[in-house]
Amino acid sequence: MKKRDLIIYRVVTALFSLMLLAGAITYFVQYEMVSKMFTSLGVPTEIIYPLAIVKILGVLAIWLIKNPVIKTLAYLGFALDLVFAIIAHLNAGDGGAIGPAIPLVLLIISYVFYRKKRQVYN
């Protein structure tokens, strides 16, 4: 893997991770606001805390776990979460679909460069 590609992978993955961690922390710190948003989207509020924990664990998996299956499952989980968030915002018509679309683009770029990196070392 070229040094440029490795830098792109790390920067994009870091930006993605920071966005998801900020969201997860918001779920804990501003529960009432998040709860109202989930309710307006038609999403059950019971998933707020588990979703926050899974997001934190997913970011840790992407950065720390060496097992490619677990890392790929973390990417898949984030992709599903973000796609469903986009669908929920589009369905609600609140104009908030861009919020999860940005990290989804970063996730795709990160995954493409992760696959490049993995091919070099295999």
Side-chain angles (χ1 to χ4, degrees):
M1 174 176 242
K2 296 177 187 172
K3 187 174 182 178
R4 175 188 70 95
D5 291 347
L6 186 59
I7 291 170
I8 292 170
Y9 167 73
R10 287 183 178 161
V11 168
V12 169
T13 305
L15 289 172
F16 169 79
S17 299
L18 289 172
M19 291 179 84
L20 270 286
L21 288 174
I25 291 168
T26 302
Y27 287 11
F28 288 113
V29 176
Q30 297 182 343
Y31 178 83
E32 290 302 319
M33 180 199 67
V34 173
S35 179
K36 288 178 186 175
M37 181 188 64
F38 272 53
T39 301
S40 73
L41 295 174
V43 178
T45 57
E46 291 84 3
I47 70 165
I48 293 172
Y49 288 138
L51 186 58
I53 292 167
V54 169
K55 285 182 178 189
I56 293 167
L57 292 174
V59 169
L60 291 174
I62 286 174
W63 284 102
L64 303 177
I65 302 294
K66 302 293 184 210
N67 185 317
V69 173
I70 294 173
K71 194 173 282 219
T72 301
L73 286 173
Y75 276 109
L76 174 62
F78 282 129
L80 290 172
D81 174 54
L82 294 167
V83 167
F84 288 143
I86 291 168
I87 291 169
H89 282 286
L90 291 174
N91 188 44
D94 65 358
I98 192 72
I102 293 169
L104 181 61
V105 170
L106 293 174
L107 175 75
I108 292 167
I109 295 168
S110 173
Y111 186 71
V112 166
F113 281 91
Y114 161 69
R115 294 288 298 184
K116 268 183 144 179
K117 183 177 93 164
R118 199 167 149 237
Q119 287 175 352
V120 168
Y121 294 115
N122 283 340

